[in-house]
Amino acid sequence: MILKLAWRNIWRQKRRTWILITAVTIGFFGLFFFMVITEGAVKQAVKNIIDSGIGHIQIHRQGYLKDPEVKKIIKNPDSVIDKLNFPEIELISKRVNLQGVLYSPQETSPVQVIGGVLEKEKLLTKFEEYIVEGDFPKAESEILIGNKLAEILDVKLNEKVVLSSSDINAEISSYAFRVGGIFKSPSMEVNKFIVLIDITAASKISSYKNMANEIVIRLKEEKFIPDTLNKIKDILNSEYEVLSWGDVNPSLKYQFEVLSKSMLLFGFIILFGASFGIMNVFFMSIFERMREFAILRAMGLKPFQLKKLIVLEGILIGLISIIIGSFLNSFLYLYLSFKGLNLSVFARSLEMWGSGSIIYPSLSFENSMGLISLVIIVVFLSIILPARKSAKIIITEALRYV
């Protein structure tokens, strides 16, 4: 009966009800926009990192990540790859990674060298999509570099550069390349430091023979990472370290985790601020209805029943706001999914973070439920004080309200 009365009450003063619904809907809409863009930016940054060569999983000799010496090799990497025949794996390849210095006639710059099987690197990475000049390397004499590195070295397409690095005997080895392609990825760091060459050339520089120092794995979906890690660890012995992209780049993973987990906290702060406005409107509503409440009390409605009535009215308004807000949010999500949010005015900052300047929305089911629960909690808290105020009215005084 109280619920039925609450439903009738909220539609007796439609203007007041719609003001309340609008206030809650705007808060819900704003928070949804903030969360989908933040989560979308985080997911894009993670995807770009994986596409820039890290992959989902990497295998090295034990201790390589802490101290990437050229001597820490995987002997006969093809035999290791043959053991890892899991359906979750989309692509797997061996690499010779090197740290070196790239020389041009004008400048020098430190670089991180990916020496990979070129046909597989086309699929493991997105470098081919990022190319702005030239082509993906086709021969061991060609090198693919980033646009920032090209600026630093002051080199153009087809010009020659020399790569120097230590070989397995700690001797400096050099190799001349022609700039076959220049790429521009969403990450400034990748554009400045990463270069891609054929594994044959990298093996010659490092003096590797049928050896590699990294096996990189791309999975069909990111959610397969934990299970696949455990499966690989069960097959390989302790001679190898098996790492996820987050293990390879723990500081970045930590940043993303903190950002993801703080979204609901920021959301609560935003809605907490909005709750004062919502509470103020509820208070105004209570004062407007003093005479009505006095009559209800005079007819026998007890204080706790009156409080329950006000709380139910607030919850119903909150639920209506969530339904309308969800409808509007769906349109916003579909529009941004198709067009993306162009944040090119912040392109430099986003390039340093690695997410790209066009952000596409994303929101997990858990965060969606958390967002809806948050709106209900905030509306409930906003109505508590007005409801207590209504329960404490003195009938004789309230009847004098006009």
Side-chain angles (χ1 to χ4, degrees), residues 151-169:
E151 289 177 14
I152 292 169
L153 296 175
D154 192 19
V155 292
K156 293 184 172 55
L157 202 63
N158 295 321
E159 290 186 353
K160 284 194 173 179
V161 292
V162 175
L163 175 65
S164 291
S165 181
S166 296
D167 66 12
I168 198 168
N169 301 310

Side-chain angles (χ1 to χ4, degrees), residues 40-55 124-127 129-130 185-187 190 218 222 245 252 256 350-351 353-359:
V42 169
K43 284 195 172 179
Q44 277 180 227
V46 170
K47 184 176 182 301
N48 290 337
I49 288 168
I50 291 169
D51 291 341
S52 66
I54 288 182
L124 276 167
T125 69
K126 294 286 183 183
F127 286 130
E129 293 181 14
Y130 297 151
S185 80
S187 170
V190 172
R218 186 179 185 88
E222 193 181 345
W245 71 266
L252 205 55
F256 291 153
L350 292 169
E351 193 177 348
W353 201 54
S355 65
S357 56
I358 306 293
I359 306 296

Side-chain angles (χ1 to χ4, degrees), residues 21-75:
I21 289 173
T22 303
V24 178
T25 302
I26 289 174
F28 183 38
F29 186 80
L31 184 55
F32 175 84
F33 178 77
F34 168 76
M35 291 184 73
V36 296
I37 293 302
T38 306
E39 189 169 318
V42 169
K43 284 195 172 179
Q44 277 180 227
V46 170
K47 184 176 182 301
N48 290 337
I49 288 168
I50 291 169
D51 291 341
S52 66
I54 288 182
H56 290 107
I57 294 175
Q58 292 186 0
I59 301 170
H60 310 119
R61 276 286 299 276
Q62 196 62 251
Y64 177 83
L65 182 67
K66 190 176 181 182
D67 185 12
E69 289 183 283
V70 185
K71 291 182 178 179
K72 290 177 179 170
I73 52 174
I74 300 173
K75 295 178 180 176

